Amino acid sequence: MKKARTAAEWRRSKVTERMVSFSGGAGLMSKLGPLFQMEDGKRERHIPVIDCPDTVAAGKPFVINVTIGKEVNHPNTTEHHIKWIQVFFRPENDKFSYQIAHCDFAAHGDSVVGSGKGPVVTDHRVSVVVSVNGRGRIYALSMCNIHGLWESGKDLEVA
Amino acid sequence: MKKARTAAEWRRSKVTERMVSFSGGAGLMSKLGPLFQMEDGKRERHIPVIDCPDTVAAGKPFVINVTIGKEVNHPNTTEHHIKWIQVFFRPENDKFSYQIAHCDFAAHGDSVVGSGKGPVVTDHRVSVVVSVNGRGRIYALSMCNIHGLWESGKDLEVA
Amino acid sequence: MKKARTAAEWRRSKVTERMVSFSGGAGLMSKLGPLFQMEDGKRERHIPVIDCPDTVAAGKPFVINVTIGKEVNHPNTTEHHIKWIQVFFRPENDKFSYQIAHCDFAAHGDSVVGSGKGPVVTDHRVSVVVSVNGRGRIYALSMCNIHGLWESGKDLEVA
Amino acid sequence: MKKARTAAEWRRSKVTERMVSFSGGAGLMSKLGPLFQMEDGKRERHIPVIDCPDTVAAGKPFVINVTIGKEVNHPNTTEHHIKWIQVFFRPENDKFSYQIAHCDFAAHGDSVVGSGKGPVVTDHRVSVVVSVNGRGRIYALSMCNIHGLWESGKDLEVA
């Protein structure tokens, strides 16, 4: 993997507008990042698990499945549920990141007759289709309404 | 199918807050609904096509695939793309509707080096998983950034 | 206001791809539109009320405030809340509609210590800023988690 | 401020499911966080600037304005625009984070007659209303379609 520029190299560059892509800037560390949880006890049930090929062909669509929970399924009730999954892609040799998709899971059994008695429940999983032109890393970010933000990632190779 | 109350019956009812679910109220017709296009020439490419079983078991999860375009694929560029798909469910004997999911397709080849030269493109299709407890109708609503809103529907039976 | 083309005129036109913008097509009426409720009893509390100038200058940004409820505030709890507001614009002489914004209200007091005991609640109102180049109609669509979809509209003049 | 548990204290606790809220887990650092940029050259135009009171009353609604750009306004075209702003809240003595809102800016002048010639443009700013019951930190995350993810934060005191 090509070595990323250091903050010093960026400052010496001729780029008029310094778009620093790592750690937010010289010395500035993201404070939002640490809020993303990545370990969920022995029986994982909050991690947004990314399921897709390890290697894909450039420009050819492939499916990314993201599911919440590995060994244990996450609850899905009015009071406790997964609100959404967002998927991002960071190409290896790109200063920037791109959002692939954002999927809201909108139904959790809510109803006028009482929580959990509603007519429809949306499961916390989604499949999207994407194509890329180079290797990079896929990120998934999910949100539980009471347990906050959860993150996972998966490297992607392009043949 | 149980007959829906008429506007007159609603007015005579003892319900303090009249939640009228058809046509928005006595005489009030939705003005947003007519903005939803449902026919797209001979070679359909804007309709959000719903693909799911005709009949499902109550409470058992099933997959809903929604794809844009039937005979002809829709373009997917910075200048012309599908922004999102929303999925709704209207149970047969329910006054109200429920949103199942909302999926944004966020990447269309945008890039600092020029439109269409970006590293990632999200296809305009999504698969979600849902369970219902009674028959009804699934609705899909999609948005093209330059051709507006498109709608489709599919009846769902519960065995 | 210029008269919209009839279905017959569209068929005689030289447009290769017939993008029919009214009522979804010759004879096809939106089935999703009737699900949008517009009247909410005497003490309105579900209607997404649009507050913005009646007349604006072309190309000049103005604020659109959308609030749920008029005389009575809508509840905001884990079990009963407004999920989101979407805002659309239909220019008068345009075949198509455009989405202005979509705002999710994500916090309703949900918490590990019990519903309603959470540390944050998002109110069901939003302000966005937009500019238009011609007259048309603004639409707001909102969703209550147990009472479904609600619609309102407001004509906009451009001086 | 109550001292947060260390990773060691969590392991010794009787909590069956170890919900570790800092750095994702013992030794696990977020890899998505470093993608969030926080410094944008001398003339800032990507940072989502949070404007709200420094101190608020517990349980009383207050306005959070988030605007992109400080000294220089960010472009707003089909090819280059801000896609969305997300707002989060991390209470001081809470293991978890909560999303306040997610607002998509959907119109950027896209049109069938050409990019930038469309009838409506949504500005990259939003105002939401929220109430909290204790001090914490507000986070804003925004996305530029070609320059990626940007973050900012602001401490909030409760009187």
Side-chain angles (χ1 to χ4, degrees):
Chain A
M1 181 170 170
K2 196 163 92 167
K3 204 152 81 74
R5 284 191 182 188
T6 63
E9 285 169 329
W10 271 112
R11 279 190 292 273
R12 290 193 296 266
S13 76
K14 290 189 177 12
V15 172
T16 305
E17 188 181 60
R18 304 198 203 108
M19 309 295 290
V20 188
S21 61
F22 287 95
S23 302
L28 286 180
M29 296 294 298
S30 167
K31 292 189 183 176
L32 184 54
L35 271 51
F36 301 165
Q37 304 163 86
M38 291 182 299
E39 206 175 48
D40 190 7
K42 289 222 143 40
R43 302 186 70 198
E44 305 244 27
R45 77 171 187 180
H46 271 108
I47 306 297
V49 180
I50 299 169
D51 167 32
C52 73
D54 297 328
T55 305
V56 298
K60 187 175 171 187
F62 64 96
V63 179
I64 299 177
N65 303 299
V66 189
T67 310
I68 301 298
K70 201 154 64 177
E71 298 183 33
V72 180
N73 200 12
H74 188 280
N76 199 343
T77 66
T78 301
E79 296 79 11
H80 188 192
H81 55 265
I82 300 296
K83 296 179 72 69
W84 46 254
I85 288 174
Q86 301 188 40
V87 188
F88 299 89
F89 183 63
R90 174 56 177 268
E92 185 182 67
N93 291 319
D94 197 320
K95 286 195 293 289
F96 307 113
S97 313
Y98 303 81
Q99 186 176 46
I100 288 173
H102 176 142
C103 190
D104 280 316
F105 307 120
H108 308 289
D110 305 6
S111 167
V112 291
V113 296
S115 300
K117 300 178 184 177
V120 56
V121 175
T122 311
D123 199 8
H124 31 257
R125 68 179 79 188
V126 64
S127 297
V128 291
V129 179
V130 67
S131 59
V132 299
N133 62 17
R135 65 198 295 216
R137 186 170 173 86
I138 298 171
Y139 292 91
L141 185 67
S142 62
M143 179 127 212
C144 170
N145 71 319
I146 60 176
H147 292 124
L149 296 155
W150 297 82
E151 164 192 340
S152 78
K154 179 180 161 74
D155 289 327
L156 184 70
E157 285 288 337
V158 169
Chain B
M1 178 175 169
K2 197 164 88 169
K3 203 152 81 77
R5 286 190 178 188
T6 62
E9 285 169 331
W10 270 110
R11 279 189 294 273
R12 289 193 298 266
S13 77
K14 289 191 176 16
V15 173
T16 307
E17 190 180 58
R18 304 198 200 109
M19 308 294 289
V20 187
S21 60
F22 288 96
S23 302
L28 285 182
M29 297 292 299
S30 167
K31 292 189 182 177
L32 184 54
L35 270 50
F36 301 163
Q37 304 163 83
M38 292 181 297
E39 208 176 46
D40 190 8
K42 290 222 143 45
R43 303 187 70 197
E44 305 243 27
R45 77 170 187 182
H46 271 110
I47 305 297
V49 179
I50 300 169
D51 167 30
C52 73
D54 297 328
T55 305
V56 299
K60 187 174 171 188
F62 63 98
V63 179
I64 300 177
N65 303 299
V66 188
T67 310
I68 301 298
K70 202 156 59 179
E71 297 184 33
V72 181
N73 200 13
H74 188 279
N76 199 343
T77 66
T78 300
E79 296 79 11
H80 188 193
H81 55 266
I82 299 296
K83 294 178 75 67
W84 45 255
I85 287 173
Q86 301 187 40
V87 189
F88 299 89
F89 183 62
R90 175 57 178 268
E92 185 182 69
N93 290 321
D94 197 320
K95 288 196 293 286
F96 307 114
S97 313
Y98 303 82
Q99 186 177 45
I100 289 173
H102 176 142
C103 189
D104 280 315
F105 307 120
H108 308 288
D110 304 7
S111 166
V112 291
V113 295
S115 300
K117 298 178 185 177
V120 56
V121 175
T122 311
D123 199 7
H124 30 256
R125 67 179 78 188
V126 64
S127 297
V128 292
V129 178
V130 65
S131 58
V132 299
N133 62 17
R135 65 199 294 217
R137 187 170 172 85
I138 299 171
Y139 292 91
L141 185 66
S142 62
M143 180 125 211
C144 170
N145 71 319
I146 60 176
H147 292 125
L149 296 156
W150 297 82
E151 164 191 342
S152 78
K154 179 181 162 73
D155 290 326
L156 184 70
E157 285 289 336
V158 169
Chain C
M1 181 172 170
K2 196 163 90 169
K3 202 152 83 78
R5 286 191 181 186
T6 63
E9 286 169 331
W10 271 111
R11 279 190 292 274
R12 291 192 297 266
S13 76
K14 289 189 178 13
V15 174
T16 307
E17 187 181 58
R18 301 197 205 109
M19 309 295 290
V20 187
S21 61
F22 288 95
S23 302
L28 284 181
M29 296 293 299
S30 167
K31 292 189 183 175
L32 183 55
L35 270 52
F36 300 165
Q37 303 162 86
M38 291 182 298
E39 207 173 47
D40 191 8
K42 288 224 142 45
R43 303 186 69 199
E44 305 244 26
R45 77 170 186 180
H46 270 109
I47 306 296
V49 180
I50 300 169
D51 168 30
C52 73
D54 298 327
T55 305
V56 299
K60 187 174 171 189
F62 64 96
V63 178
I64 299 177
N65 303 299
V66 189
T67 311
I68 301 298
K70 200 153 64 176
E71 297 184 33
V72 180
N73 200 12
H74 189 279
N76 199 343
T77 67
T78 300
E79 296 80 11
H80 188 191
H81 55 265
I82 300 296
K83 295 180 72 69
W84 46 254
I85 288 173
Q86 301 188 39
V87 189
F88 299 89
F89 182 62
R90 175 57 177 269
E92 185 183 69
N93 290 320
D94 197 320
K95 288 196 291 289
F96 307 114
S97 312
Y98 302 81
Q99 186 177 46
I100 288 173
H102 177 141
C103 189
D104 280 317
F105 307 120
H108 307 289
D110 305 7
S111 165
V112 292
V113 295
S115 299
K117 298 178 184 177
V120 55
V121 174
T122 310
D123 198 7
H124 30 257
R125 69 179 78 188
V126 65
S127 297
V128 291
V129 179
V130 67
S131 58
V132 299
N133 60 19
R135 65 196 296 214
R137 186 168 173 87
I138 299 171
Y139 292 92
L141 185 67
S142 61
M143 179 126 211
C144 171
N145 71 318
I146 60 176
H147 292 125
L149 296 156
W150 297 81
E151 165 192 341
S152 78
K154 177 180 163 73
D155 289 326
L156 184 70
E157 285 288 338
V158 169
Chain D
M1 175 176 170
K2 195 163 89 168
K3 206 152 81 75
R5 285 191 179 187
T6 63
E9 287 169 330
W10 270 111
R11 279 189 293 273
R12 289 193 298 265
S13 76
K14 290 191 174 20
V15 173
T16 307
E17 188 181 58
R18 303 199 200 107
M19 308 295 289
V20 186
S21 60
F22 289 96
S23 301
L28 285 182
M29 297 292 298
S30 166
K31 292 190 183 176
L32 184 53
L35 271 49
F36 301 164
Q37 304 163 85
M38 291 182 297
E39 208 175 46
D40 189 8
K42 289 224 143 42
R43 303 187 70 199
E44 304 243 28
R45 77 171 188 182
H46 271 109
I47 306 295
V49 179
I50 299 169
D51 167 31
C52 73
D54 297 327
T55 305
V56 298
K60 186 175 172 187
F62 64 97
V63 179
I64 300 177
N65 302 299
V66 188
T67 310
I68 302 297
K70 201 155 62 179
E71 296 183 35
V72 180
N73 200 11
H74 188 279
N76 200 341
T77 66
T78 300
E79 296 80 11
H80 188 192
H81 54 266
I82 300 296
K83 295 178 76 68
W84 46 254
I85 288 173
Q86 300 188 39
V87 189
F88 299 90
F89 182 62
R90 175 57 178 266
E92 184 181 70
N93 290 320
D94 197 321
K95 288 195 293 287
F96 307 114
S97 314
Y98 303 82
Q99 186 177 46
I100 288 173
H102 176 142
C103 189
D104 281 316
F105 307 119
H108 307 288
D110 305 6
S111 165
V112 291
V113 295
S115 300
K117 298 179 186 176
V120 56
V121 174
T122 310
D123 200 6
H124 32 256
R125 69 179 78 188
V126 64
S127 297
V128 292
V129 178
V130 67
S131 58
V132 300
N133 61 18
R135 64 197 297 214
R137 186 170 173 86
I138 299 171
Y139 292 92
L141 185 67
S142 61
M143 179 126 212
C144 170
N145 70 319
I146 61 176
H147 291 125
L149 296 155
W150 297 82
E151 164 191 340
S152 78
K154 178 181 162 74
D155 289 326
L156 184 69
E157 285 289 336
V158 169

